[in-house]
Amino acid sequence: MFLDLPEKTPLEQRKGKNYWNSSHFCSEPDFFTIGYSGHTIQSFINTLKAAGVVTLVDVRYLPVSRFKPAFSKTNLKNALEANGILYSHRPEWGIPREIRAFSIGKQSRGDIWLWYDSNVLPKIAGDNLNVFFNSLEHPVAFMCMELDPTECHRHRIFLGLERIGLGGRDL
């Protein structure tokens, strides 16, 4: 069953992404973030390759796309690896369906972000990030679905990494 979460129009999402990038741009990023919305699998891979991304970290709780099957875990992993990009799935960095449901019928996803900041970010920061980052080939991109990072939990990861001194860029 599809969750009817608050959603911006495509124009609002592009504006949100542009605003995010203007205020969170790093010329020499330690990491990237990306949403697959608006991409074909080939345009997505081309964007990653143009940025020099070597490892894609899928931060979806359930890595399935009903509307874009090319972005479901196995298909995505195969397409990436065929193009020389490694795939890693971190479901514990995602948001379970029952938590996403907090925002049904609301104007924003604020309740989700409060939950994420209290329940997931401390675990991410509590994990040894050096071990995590050293276990991956770099550069790394964190991926979810939404075009606008502020409509996606990857912006919470981005902010958490910024707080510890890392810089990023949304592709």
Side-chain angles (χ1 to χ4, degrees):
M1 175 187 273
F2 182 72
L3 292 178
D4 188 19
L5 297 177
E7 192 170 317
K8 295 178 181 175
T9 67
L11 178 60
E12 290 171 325
Q13 289 178 48
R14 281 191 294 282
K15 285 181 180 179
K17 180 179 179 69
N18 291 338
Y19 178 76
W20 174 265
N21 283 333
S22 70
S23 59
H24 295 276
F25 180 83
C26 179
S27 60
E28 294 184 31
D30 298 300
F31 64 92
F32 296 97
T33 63
I34 187 169
Y36 68 80
S37 180
H39 281 285
T40 64
I41 190 66
Q42 197 55 57
S43 71
F44 183 78
I45 288 169
N46 291 345
T47 299
L48 294 173
K49 288 172 90 172
V53 171
V54 176
T55 303
L56 181 84
V57 181
D58 188 342
V59 295
R60 295 176 293 173
Y61 185 77
L62 293 173
V64 176
S65 178
R66 292 184 326 156
F67 301 107
K68 289 191 167 192
F71 291 95
S72 291
K73 183 177 182 173
T74 302
N75 295 336
L76 177 61
K77 181 179 189 298
N78 291 339
L80 290 168
E81 290 179 355
N83 283 275
I85 300 171
L86 302 170
Y87 174 88
S88 176
H89 181 219
R90 298 296 295 232
E92 69 276 17
W93 289 25
I95 301 174
R97 179 181 175 83
E98 64 271 12
I99 302 304
R100 291 192 328 257
F102 288 172
S103 290
I104 292 173
K106 297 187 178 172
Q107 295 295 314
S108 79
R109 298 178 185 203
D111 290 342
I112 297 172
W113 308 150
L114 289 173
W115 177 87
Y116 198 84
D117 289 352
S118 297
N119 294 283
V120 179
L121 275 184
K123 292 175 188 171
I124 291 172
D127 288 347
N128 187 334
L129 284 177
N130 285 331
V131 170
F132 170 74
F133 275 109
N134 288 329
S135 70
L136 302 171
E137 298 292 324
H138 290 266
V140 171
F142 298 101
M143 181 212 80
C144 201
M145 193 242 347
E146 291 83 356
L147 171 68
D148 180 355
T150 64
E151 292 294 300
C152 177
H153 69 287
R154 72 181 189 273
H155 91 280
R156 308 314 289 180
I157 295 168
F158 193 117
L159 293 173
L161 294 174
E162 268 189 338
R163 281 193 289 275
I164 62 169
L166 299 175
R169 184 182 324 152
D170 190 70
L171 299 174

